[in-house]
Amino acid sequence: AAYYAGGALPGAEVSWRVVATPATFRPPNRDDFVFGTFVPWWDWRPRPAEPGRVEAMAARTDGSGVHRLRVDFDRGDPPRPHVVRAEANVMDVNRQAWTAAADLLVHPSDRYVGLRTERAFVQKGEEVAIDLVAVDLDGGAVAGRPVRLRAERLDWEQVEGEWKDVPKDVQEREVLSAAEPTRARFDAKEGGAWRIL
């Protein structure tokens, strides 16, 4: 915090507000893959907005007009990127508030896994072929990393009075990532909606 003339604003009240909101991220040049949660165009169910986590604190600037806020990040479950907005409100000697803010995209990892299919639908009894790619934050392929995949058929069941998607026919595979997309195959012995994790 400083005056227009450049002098420091020591001992000024600072109000911090930090908001972490779930976000999405798709590495550059990887538009043909899905990273994170896929939302199909045919799914009509409304999705509520995901709430952000909000933290607030009060402090004072030091003798040189500076106050630093340290923010620690938890991995989250499931791990996913977040946009973190830090906003500082400083009160000057005339009791006028001055505000500044910064946004930051926080990644849960330095690697992402992208999935794609040739078609969104298959016939009962056909195999489900999934292409996967492991990439760094710039979209470059990362070879030789183990990737665990899980396919599950979703079946509507009433659980404790609520209708929920319950996983059935679970199949798991582990493959090594490569410089080019790697293919994994699952058997769709039953019809229905399948989820690949």
Side-chain angles (χ1 to χ4, degrees):
Y3 293 103
Y4 284 120
L9 190 57
E13 296 174 19
V14 182
S15 299
W16 284 98
R17 184 174 186 268
V18 181
V19 181
T21 307
T24 59
F25 176 73
R26 180 175 297 176
N29 302 317
R30 296 295 181 172
D31 293 341
D32 52 339
F33 285 87
V34 173
F35 294 85
T37 303
F38 171 67
V39 179
W41 57 266
W42 63 85
D43 191 349
W44 51 268
R45 293 178 285 184
R47 289 183 170 30
E50 295 183 62
R53 181 175 172 193
V54 180
E55 298 284 341
M57 73 167 287
R60 288 191 174 273
T61 59
D62 64 13
S64 60
V66 174
H67 183 269
R68 286 186 173 83
L69 183 67
R70 176 181 149 169
V71 179
D72 293 321
F73 301 102
D74 295 330
R75 180 183 140 193
D77 189 25
R80 63 183 300 182
H82 281 75
V83 171
V84 175
R85 180 173 182 80
E87 189 174 286
N89 192 332
V90 179
M91 196 69 69
D92 70 11
V93 293
N94 296 323
R95 306 301 296 164
Q96 291 181 327
W98 300 92
T99 303
D103 293 323
L104 177 68
L105 177 62
V106 179
H107 296 282
S109 172
D110 59 355
R111 305 285 186 263
Y112 279 84
V113 175
L115 303 177
R116 74 176 176 200
T117 59
E118 291 175 359
R119 303 181 290 163
F121 299 91
V122 296
Q123 296 294 324
K124 174 181 171 181
E126 288 183 359
E127 69 178 11
V128 178
I130 303 291
D131 291 332
L132 69 95
V133 63
V135 297
D136 59 22
L137 299 179
D138 295 322
V142 178
R145 296 294 177 114
V147 179
R148 287 186 305 277
L149 294 159
R150 176 184 169 107
E152 50 194 28
R153 182 176 56 84
L154 301 177
D155 195 15
W156 280 95
E157 282 188 10
Q158 203 166 29
V159 179
E160 297 177 1
E162 271 187 69
W163 286 97
K164 294 187 176 184
D165 282 328
V166 177
K168 304 281 183 167
D169 303 330
V170 175
Q171 301 171 48
E172 295 184 349
R173 306 276 186 275
E174 184 169 311
V175 297
L176 283 178
S177 64
E180 295 298 320
T182 304
R183 181 159 283 188
R185 300 174 192 281
F186 298 95
D187 298 320
K189 294 175 184 166
E190 295 293 327
W194 285 77
R195 175 170 57 198
I196 311 295
L197 303 167

